[in-house]
Amino acid sequence: MNSKNIDYLNMYENVKDELKFLTSSKIRIKLLECLSEIPVPMKILCENTNLNYSAISNNIHRLKDNGYVDSDDGKFCLNNIAIMKLLNFYDFSETVRIIRSYIDLWIDHDISCILLDGLIDLNSLKTGYLIESIPTDIYRPHNIFKNILKDSNNIKSIFPFVHPEYPIIFQDLIKNGVNIEVLCGKAITLNFIESMDLKTLKNGSKNQNFKIKSSKVILKYF
């Protein structure tokens, strides 16, 4: 998994002062939020932040000196370099939040089979959520996923296994014209096909609203 040599010490040294400068002042954070979209004059900054002129002026000049803010005709705005840095800082913050949110999952499961690029791109999970079973409802993940499938108008999914109910649900969805694209391991693909009505499969293929693909490596990610 460690296919890249990462110099963590130098990486930290390169960003620590910048991170400290940005995060050690709530005033600067407020100003960065206000300047993130359009150029803003000092008066509007005072109104939007509820800060006094002196505090804003001091921090605006510090932001300018550190290469975050440009000014033109009495208005202030983030420059392109600042926008790129802040977007990447935001991605890092989201990644930390995701790790904390799913901490039991990372601790209790083997992640050695996940490619390094997948671990680096954890931020892509920010719109997702983890469904867990509970002592009073051990089938909760299955039931929620099943209901999501039934209510879907468009499905793109990777299946590491097949529950007996899934092919039946898919048959109904295909008949209703729902677009379905499924990626499975070879054995799972065969299981899907053998469990579904042949006429429904043919109609889904003919109407191009059902596609199932097989991959030899799909199981290494689960």
Side-chain angles (χ1 to χ4, degrees):
M1 184 174 69
N2 294 320
S3 60
K4 297 180 181 178
N5 294 321
I6 302 174
D7 190 336
Y8 295 104
L9 183 59
N10 280 339
M11 185 169 59
Y12 171 70
E13 290 294 332
N14 287 337
V15 299
K16 68 172 184 177
D17 291 337
E18 196 159 8
L19 284 172
K20 184 177 180 181
F21 170 74
L22 288 171
T23 60
S24 62
S25 169
K26 291 183 178 180
I27 295 176
R28 283 195 287 276
I29 292 174
K30 281 188 175 183
L31 290 175
L32 290 171
E33 289 175 350
C34 289
L35 298 170
S36 61
E37 295 182 2
I38 59 174
V40 180
M42 184 67 73
K43 180 180 179 181
I44 300 299
L45 284 175
C46 291
E47 293 175 356
N48 290 347
T49 61
N50 291 319
L51 298 169
N52 61 53
Y53 180 92
S54 177
I56 292 176
S57 179
N58 178 58
N59 281 278
I60 282 289
H61 282 96
R62 294 196 65 185
L63 287 168
K64 288 182 66 176
D65 291 341
N66 281 271
Y68 282 90
V69 171
D70 291 337
S71 60
D72 182 38
D73 196 25
K75 294 182 179 180
F76 304 92
C77 64
L78 297 181
N79 58 35
N80 291 337
I81 299 300
I83 291 171
M84 289 188 287
K85 287 182 178 180
L86 291 172
L87 285 174
N88 281 280
F89 286 154
Y90 171 77
D91 283 346
F92 172 72
S93 175
E94 280 294 290
T95 297
V96 172
R97 182 188 64 80
I98 290 167
I99 293 172
R100 288 174 177 169
S101 297
Y102 305 145
I103 191 166
D104 291 338
L105 176 67
W106 311 125
I107 290 176
D108 295 336
H109 291 77
D110 180 11
I111 65 170
S112 61
C113 60
I114 303 176
L115 298 178
L116 182 61
D117 288 344
L119 293 176
I120 292 173
D121 195 29
L122 286 179
N123 195 35
S124 62
L125 298 175
K126 65 183 178 182
T127 58
Y129 59 93
L130 181 65
I131 301 172
E132 299 180 89
S133 60
I134 54 178
T136 56
D137 186 3
I138 61 173
Y139 298 108
R140 182 170 176 264
H142 166 67
N143 289 329
I144 290 176
F145 183 64
K146 180 175 66 176
N147 290 330
I148 290 173
L149 283 178
K150 288 181 177 179
D151 294 335
S152 297
N153 295 317
N154 188 52
I155 297 172
K156 290 185 178 181
S157 182
I158 298 173
F159 278 86
F161 67 94
V162 176
H163 188 278
E165 292 186 68
Y166 294 165
I168 298 172
I169 294 172
F170 276 15
Q171 287 182 173
D172 292 336
L173 292 172
I174 291 169
K175 291 175 183 177
N176 291 329
V178 173
N179 292 318
I180 301 172
E181 293 183 45
V182 181
L183 180 63
C184 314
K186 185 175 181 180
I188 304 304
T189 301
L190 293 173
N191 197 328
F192 255 116
I193 293 174
E194 291 172 356
S195 302
M196 295 177 69
D197 176 65
L198 183 58
K199 183 179 179 180
T200 303
L201 282 174
K202 287 183 177 179
N203 287 335
S205 179
K206 180 180 178 181
N207 297 327
Q208 296 187 339
N209 68 313
F210 180 68
K211 299 176 182 178
I212 184 166
K213 297 181 180 180
S214 179
S215 172
K216 294 181 180 179
V217 299
I218 194 68
L219 295 180
K220 73 179 288 188
Y221 298 103
F222 294 89

